[in-house]
Amino acid sequence: MRSYKVTRGLDRAPHRSLLGAAGFHPRELEQPLVGVVNSANEIVPGHIHLNDIADAVKAGIRIGGGTPIEFSTIAICDGIAMNHAGMHYSLASREVVADSIELMVEAHCFDALVFITNCDKITPGMMMAAARLDLPAIIISGGPMLAGEHQGAKIDLSKLFEGVGAVRSGRISEQELEEMASKACPGCGSCAGMFTANSMNCMSEALGIALPGNGTIPAISAGRIRLAKETGMQVMNLLDSGTTIKQILTREAFENALAVDMALGCSTNTLLHLTALAHECGFRLDLDQVNVVSERTPQLCLLSPAGPNHIEDLDRSGGVPAVMKELESAGLLHTDLGTVTGKKVGENISASKPADQTVIHSIKDPYRPQGGLAVLFGSLAPGGAVVKQGAVSEAMQRFEGTARVFDSEEQAVEAINNEEIKAGSVVIIRYEGPRGGPGMREMLAPTSVLAGMELDDKVALITDGRFSGATRGASIGHVSPEAAAGGPIAFIRDGDLISIDLPARRLDLNLSDAELDRRRDQWRKPEPKINHGYLKRYAAQVSSAGLGAVLGAVSNKEAGDC
């Protein structure tokens, strides 16, 4: 046991004294020490109840014969951080989450780990830490929020952002927007649609590093508490068998995750985080492989913001195991892979089937013949760009428009609010990438306002930043190389013609090579928007979005410099 380094032997008497000062009984120190990483706080709705989850996890660990030891890490709410300077810090916090856990675990010699998470960057940060540490470990989330209700229809946070645009275009009143705000988020949990938090919690199931139900059992359900207890008990079984996270996180497990991602219609951010997780596992997740999986995997679910259903509906219909069972029936899964249940993927899903085929369609009758995400390449994005194609209208699958160029999200939002963006435009928001942002901000505000103005099927938006999982419409993000690295997006000017072809996976800036070279020669990199503190260090080390926006892993050339 790793913990013997702090609990056993003559030389460890001082260590035992300190542990005794923390209240540990000598009998507890004879058992394995299991770290319980808890990201609870009082500001993030997805995390306000995580102390209850932690208590249940610790009860399970004790039942299994271990000694649980809880410690904390940070958590940022993307919704609260959205559309102001706070969003610069969201993606960057993922690395702090991973690093802080590594520091605590290595310093204190835990034998196994349970990661209690829920929201956007916390779940991938914990996954990255789990892979880096490679101990017996399980992820458990706090579960999704229930959808709200307004005028007889279900609503969620995305409707609030779209409501801002609806007010500005005169479609609803400010009073109605405030009424919606009081109802859209009825209680604790990660926001109710297939946004980034729920996407990544479902990915933990698909990868095999969380117990079935982790992505979909509602936060307020007693089933969530029981799952937490089972997680605590099961981590002790993993410790007994010597099963570690990297034994589960194989290349084939990532292929399974991508297939489930495509079937569910998850957030574009999953590709950013799965790529970073693969890096922690020691291999590269190639964006070309994403398109291979997408082209063979149909979209079986149409969840908010793409459709009317929410995570509670997915859970009621059988959750991720039911989706995986449908994929298995078409030979689209590796079913012989190990998971944290101690069983193979195929065993975990053997009894599953969709209870409601209006929520989970049959593999023979999908919502769409291809997956929910696509990676585009072309003269505007040589290193790739990502779109949630399952949330793009048929009218925008192929689109050609004239560029309106903005060097920040704030400039673009101001122009949209002033009704300066007309049908047929392609809004370009640049210098918002991992380095240029810095921090690769999410662009939910401009996309939602466009949707609220009913322009989401008439206007495209392209950025080297990111989009929230709550985004819908022709919103293309993660453009690589980013503007701050001298990518082609830096050279676009108002009036340039942009071509989008989702079926062909193309994103092109219609300029001659000579003109592009001339503009490149004239380009001068602007001063950083934030040039102090953590973000200064982050911007100096971060790779491109196409490589997962990981720190210190690649040379500047590999990170996307032109």
Side-chain angles (χ1 to χ4, degrees):
M1 292 290 176
R2 284 164 43 98
S3 61
Y4 289 176
K5 297 177 183 177
V6 296
T7 62
R8 299 288 177 94
L10 176 66
D11 293 339
R12 302 301 183 252
H15 305 64
R16 291 191 292 274
S17 178
L18 290 167
L19 290 165
F24 288 100
H25 190 278
R27 284 284 298 276
E28 290 180 289
L29 300 183
E30 293 174 3
Q31 301 176 145
L33 304 186
V34 181
V36 178
V37 190
N38 184 3
S39 54
N41 61 48
E42 294 184 345
I43 191 169
V44 183
H47 293 244
I48 59 173
H49 64 303
L50 293 189
N51 287 332
D52 292 337
I53 303 295
D55 287 344
V57 166
K58 290 187 286 187
I61 291 169
R62 292 188 183 104
I63 291 170
T67 297
I69 303 178
E70 183 180 342
F71 63 92
S72 62
T73 188
I74 65 169
I76 288 176
C77 176
D78 274 29
I80 297 173
M82 194 73 66
N83 196 26
H84 59 86
M87 182 48 70
H88 288 289
Y89 294 86
S90 175
L91 177 61
S93 74
R94 183 189 71 180
E95 317 309 310
V96 175
V97 170
D99 290 351
S100 65
I101 295 169
E102 176 192 4
L103 293 171
M104 286 292 289
V105 172
E106 295 290 36
H108 298 112
C109 299
F110 293 108
D111 297 306
L113 298 165
V114 174
F115 296 87
I116 304 173
T117 179
N118 221 17
C119 292
D120 298 63
K121 308 308 163 300
I122 302 89
T123 298
M126 288 193 178
M127 288 178 171
M128 292 164 66
R132 189 182 303 173
L133 293 161
D134 196 25
L135 295 171
I138 306 181
I139 302 284
I140 179 165
S141 78
M145 185 186 295
L146 296 180
E149 187 172 321
H150 177 66
Q151 296 181 350
K154 288 183 177 181
I155 62 171
D156 54 45
L157 184 68
S158 65
K159 294 299 182 185
L160 267 296
F161 281 96
E162 292 180 12
V164 174
V167 170
R168 293 189 182 279
S169 63
R171 292 175 51 236
I172 66 172
S173 66
E174 288 190 46
Q175 181 179 355
E176 183 174 351
L177 181 63
E178 288 305 312
E179 185 180 346
M180 291 168 62
S182 69
K183 297 176 178 179
C185 299
C188 66
S190 48
C191 295
M194 188 51 81
F195 313 145
T196 305
N198 292 324
S199 294
M200 289 308 299
N201 289 329
C202 288
M203 288 298 94
S204 68
E205 274 194 66
L207 286 163
I209 58 174
L211 299 184
N214 180 64
T216 61
I217 296 174
I220 64 169
S221 170
R224 177 61 55 178
I225 297 299
R226 291 194 295 272
L227 187 71
K229 290 179 180 178
E230 290 170 10
T231 297
M233 290 185 280
Q234 183 57 25
V235 80
M236 299 307 300
N237 292 332
L238 295 180
L239 180 60
D240 288 344
S241 66
T243 303
T244 66
I245 282 290
K246 281 189 180 178
Q247 293 171 22
I248 296 168
L249 289 177
T250 62
R251 287 183 181 273
E252 291 77 15
F254 280 83
E255 289 181 12
N256 280 357
L258 286 175
V260 174
D261 193 338
M262 300 306 156
L264 289 173
C266 290
S267 165
T268 53
N269 287 316
T270 56
L271 299 189
L272 191 71
H273 300 317
L274 289 174
T275 302
L277 179 59
H279 171 76
E280 294 288 352
C281 294
F283 55 84
R284 181 170 174 176
L285 184 63
D286 197 321
L287 292 181
D288 288 321
Q289 179 65 18
V290 174
N291 282 339
V292 171
V293 175
S294 180
E295 287 169 8
R296 72 189 182 207
T297 309
Q299 185 170 347
L300 304 181
C301 301
L302 205 62
L303 303 165
S304 176
N309 295 315
H310 292 81
I311 304 300
E312 64 201 70
D313 302 309
L314 177 61
D315 184 67
R316 187 184 66 253
S317 188
V320 173
V323 173
M324 295 179 75
K325 186 64 176 177
E326 283 295 309
L327 295 174
E328 180 199 26
S329 71
L332 295 172
L333 281 186
H334 300 283
T335 57
D336 59 345
L337 306 181
T339 72
V340 293
T341 66
K343 301 176 182 178
K344 304 292 186 182
V345 169
E347 296 176 275
N348 288 341
I349 65 175
S350 61
S352 300
K353 63 179 181 179
D356 183 348
Q357 290 200 338
T358 65
V359 178
I360 303 173
H361 274 209
S362 162
I363 199 80
K364 297 177 181 177
D365 180 33
Y367 279 103
R368 297 176 186 271
Q370 295 184 338
L373 300 181
V375 180
L376 311 182
F377 297 93
S379 60
L380 180 49
V386 181
V387 62
K388 192 171 186 174
Q389 66 175 351
V392 180
S393 69
E394 289 300 319
M396 298 294 289
Q397 294 285 316
R398 289 186 174 92
F399 181 75
E400 195 166 77
T402 54
R404 286 294 313 276
V405 182
F406 303 95
D407 288 346
S408 71
E409 178 189 9
E410 289 82 1
Q411 291 176 5
V413 170
E414 182 180 4
I416 294 168
N417 287 339
N418 290 337
E419 300 184 1
E420 297 174 19
I421 304 302
K422 307 301 180 184
S425 298
V426 178
V427 176
I428 304 292
I429 305 179
R430 63 191 180 192
Y431 297 107
E432 291 288 6
R435 278 192 267 174
M440 203 179 180
R441 289 194 288 179
E442 287 185 346
M443 304 292 157
L444 180 57
T447 58
S448 297
V449 174
L450 286 171
M453 292 178 169
E454 299 187 323
L455 288 171
D456 54 300
D457 62 349
K458 302 176 184 69
V459 172
L461 197 153
I462 298 172
T463 181
D464 53 7
R466 298 181 295 125
F467 291 112
S468 165
T471 295
R472 62 185 174 94
S475 303
I476 301 169
H478 304 198
V479 171
S480 299
E482 64 175 289
I489 192 172
F491 314 136
I492 304 174
R493 296 179 182 173
D494 282 345
D496 286 346
L497 199 62
I498 307 294
S499 296
I500 300 167
D501 190 335
L502 301 193
R505 306 294 192 252
R506 295 289 305 181
L507 180 62
D508 289 297
L509 170 59
N510 295 333
L511 291 178
S512 68
D513 290 343
E515 176 62 15
L516 194 61
D517 288 341
R518 187 178 69 83
R519 293 186 187 184
R520 182 180 287 110
D521 291 341
Q522 294 174 344
W523 176 72
R524 296 294 180 269
K525 182 178 178 179
E527 289 297 313
K529 296 173 185 175
I530 298 176
N531 199 30
H532 62 271
Y534 173 65
L535 286 183
K536 180 177 181 179
R537 301 195 302 276
Y538 178 87
Q541 299 179 60
V542 69
S543 75
S544 75
L547 296 175
V550 295
L551 295 186
V554 291
S555 69
N556 286 339
K557 182 176 181 181
E558 290 171 315
D561 279 329
C562 289

